[in-house]
Amino acid sequence: MIKNKTFVASVHVSSLDGEAISLWNSNTKSYIDIDKTHHAITIQAEDKHEVRRKVARMIRTLQPKLQFQTSIQRKDGDNAQYYIQEIREKKTK
């Protein structure tokens, strides 16, 4: 039996050029023209590898107006990047 745990992932999204772009702010639940934002995402998963996969799928729904850089070489239209700063397991009481 696979036991899912609760994880919290700290995800940073930023503009590639350092210019203000329209980013979704989950605190105000609106788009704000800024150069970077941060998300604390709570995810049910089996392990940290599954959390990374879920964040990769979820970040595109959180920031639908952006085209993320997915490789070392920047392509036309790429205007943002994201990285997972930390994944920690949420302790249950």
Side-chain angles (χ1 to χ4, degrees), residues 1-91:
M1 182 171 135
I2 298 174
K3 184 177 178 185
N4 281 344
K5 303 172 191 171
T6 303
F7 293 91
V8 177
S10 296
V11 182
H12 292 272
V13 179
S14 61
S15 166
L16 288 176
D17 299 328
E19 297 176 5
I21 54 177
S22 185
L23 293 172
W24 177 254
N25 185 303
S26 53
N27 292 326
T28 62
K29 301 206 180 337
S30 63
Y31 286 97
I32 299 175
D33 289 336
I34 52 177
D35 64 338
K36 61 184 96 175
T37 189
H38 173 264
H39 296 287
I41 303 171
T42 304
I43 295 176
Q44 293 282 329
E46 183 180 335
D47 56 14
K48 289 184 179 184
H49 297 293
E50 186 178 358
V51 172
R52 287 185 191 93
R53 289 190 298 271
K54 286 185 174 186
V55 165
R57 287 191 303 265
M58 185 181 294
I59 199 68
R60 285 162 177 75
T61 59
L62 279 173
Q63 301 290 346
K65 293 184 176 185
L66 303 181
Q67 181 173 330
F68 290 101
Q69 179 177 348
T70 56
S71 64
I72 295 173
Q73 294 291 343
R74 188 172 175 183
K75 294 180 240 158
D76 283 344
D78 289 350
N79 61 355
Q81 64 183 357
Y82 77 92
Y83 67 91
I84 302 170
Q85 180 183 12
E86 177 186 26
I87 299 173
R88 65 183 186 280
E89 188 175 341
K90 191 173 185 179
K91 302 294 180 190

